[in-house]
Amino acid sequence: MPSQGKSSKMLHNINYRIRVTLQDSRQFVGTFKAFDKHMNIILGDCEEFRKIRPKGGKEEKEEKRTLGLVLLRGEHLVTITVEGPPPKEDVTMARIPGLPGAAGLPGMGRAMQAGRGVVPPAGMPPMPPGGLPPRGPPVPGLMGPGRGVGLPAPGQMAPQIPVRPGMIPPPLLPPGVPPRMPPPPPQ
């Protein structure tokens, strides 16, 4: 039987509920979401458990803290234990809390496929042949600044060349054309 690498063994446990123990004896229980080559681990819906010794007493008590999404650095991991299988997902259940029956329709918090050849789900109007939704008249306030508002006058945009009194202004040359050298003085 060919040997499996660590990576493929870890991939089998994605979405499982796991318990991770760190070097400082804290334990994290959560849904295993991802890992990398350094064995950094992402846990979702994570809870932290740590043991606390009272100063005068000998009895340890365990403190629990709900954390949510957590990244654990691989350098600090001691053990990884599988606690349970991934939860079964009900396909008919809406993924958006509070919106029953919204499982198939797009909406807030819902991503849908888009592009050529994708059929819109039932209840959504089809796109017109041009591909863009029909446009109405421009919405006031979204048309940009009115004419003459926000930009300088065209005369102000011309380059200003400083000319001292008694000096002849230099001729304007197109960009990239080097200025001519004055002819050498006669000898």
Side-chain angles (χ1 to χ4, degrees):
M1 180 172 157
S3 64
Q4 289 182 327
K6 272 192 234 175
S7 178
S8 64
K9 289 179 184 176
M10 294 295 285
L11 281 171
H12 291 298
N13 295 323
I14 294 287
N15 289 329
Y16 275 67
R17 197 88 177 140
I18 65 168
R19 178 179 298 268
V20 178
T21 307
L22 299 186
Q23 290 174 344
D24 62 359
S25 75
R26 286 184 295 168
Q27 294 186 345
F28 293 84
V29 178
T31 306
F32 183 37
K33 294 292 184 184
F35 68 100
D36 64 4
K37 65 182 180 181
H38 305 290
M39 206 51 85
N40 297 324
I41 289 182
I42 305 269
L43 295 180
D45 301 327
C46 185
E47 296 172 333
E48 174 193 24
F49 297 92
R50 61 185 186 148
K51 295 190 173 142
I52 299 175
R53 280 190 208 138
K55 292 191 177 189
K58 297 178 182 178
E59 187 178 318
E60 288 184 344
K61 72 173 191 178
E62 190 169 69
E63 187 178 280
K64 174 183 165 184
R65 205 167 51 147
T66 303
L67 300 175
L69 190 66
V70 172
L71 167 69
L72 299 174
R73 189 171 167 86
E75 187 179 6
H76 302 293
L77 302 184
V78 176
T79 62
I80 300 172
T81 311
V82 175
E83 290 278 308
K88 299 282 185 198
E89 284 196 27
D90 188 5
V91 191
T92 60
M93 187 173 79
R95 299 285 298 178
I96 303 172
L99 293 176
L105 296 177
M108 187 170 31
R110 168 121 0 233
M112 295 295 294
Q113 297 175 352
R116 296 178 66 178
V118 177
V119 180
M124 288 203 55
M127 294 294 269
L132 294 173
R135 291 183 54 181
V139 180
L142 297 178
M143 296 183 290
R147 185 168 174 82
V149 177
L151 293 176
Q156 290 178 333
M157 293 299 291
Q160 302 293 321
I161 300 171
V163 178
R164 293 191 190 113
M167 199 175 142
I168 302 171
L172 295 177
L173 298 174
V177 176
R180 291 189 337 187
M181 295 293 292
Q187 292 187 358

